[in-house]
Amino acid sequence: MLIGELSRRTGVNSHQLRYYEAQGLLVPERAGNGYREYADDAVLTVSQIRKLLEAGLSTQEIGYLQPCVSGAAPELEPCPETLDLLRERIAGLDEQIDTLVQSRRTLRDYLAATQRRLAG
């Protein structure tokens, strides 16, 4: 199928599909006229990419995991590299959350102090 058909079948615009190709996540064949031609399994691949992006993984991380990805869910093979990457990503998210919680606490303190000054 051509890129327009893949776009229609996945709901992902052609520009984004070309980006996935540039990142090495999607590999079309090239027709004699230079047009991209995608196999039917490209629909599944795009679905996997989208779901992994929604989980917060980068395209680089997805590229690293892609050989271990199967199914529409997608499912990941439990190899040590996969587990290490997921653990690192979760640790990074935990760190970001801790930073945000501290920022929220500090801003609430500033707000409360400022409101007290206004009332007093």
Side-chain angles (χ1 to χ4, degrees):
M1 80 189 89
L2 298 177
I3 196 167
E5 176 65 16
L6 182 59
S7 176
R8 281 188 291 284
R9 289 178 62 183
T10 61
V12 176
N13 68 48
S14 298
H15 176 75
Q16 196 67 40
L17 294 172
R18 286 190 290 277
Y19 175 74
Y20 297 160
E21 179 184 349
Q23 297 298 305
L25 303 177
L26 195 58
V27 182
E29 298 292 322
R30 289 287 181 161
N33 59 8
Y35 288 3
R36 293 169 175 85
E37 292 186 348
Y38 296 91
D40 286 338
D41 66 349
V43 173
L44 176 62
T45 300
V46 171
S47 174
Q48 292 169 340
I49 293 167
R50 299 299 293 176
K51 288 177 181 174
L52 293 170
L53 286 168
E54 288 171 8
L57 296 174
S58 70
T59 55
Q60 182 179 5
E61 291 167 329
I62 293 169
Y64 180 76
L65 292 176
Q66 210 168 27
C68 300
V69 175
S70 64
E75 296 176 14
L76 303 175
E77 294 297 320
C79 57
E81 297 84 3
T82 300
L83 295 171
D84 288 345
L85 187 143
L86 295 175
R87 285 183 184 117
E88 286 175 25
R89 193 69 177 102
I90 290 169
L93 289 172
D94 288 341
E95 195 173 300
Q96 288 176 325
I97 290 168
D98 291 344
T99 299
L100 289 171
V101 166
Q102 180 58 45
S103 293
R104 181 179 59 194
R105 186 177 303 122
T106 302
L107 287 172
R108 284 183 175 161
D109 291 345
Y110 284 136
L111 176 61
T114 304
Q115 288 175 328
R116 283 192 302 272
R117 288 184 64 205
L118 179 64

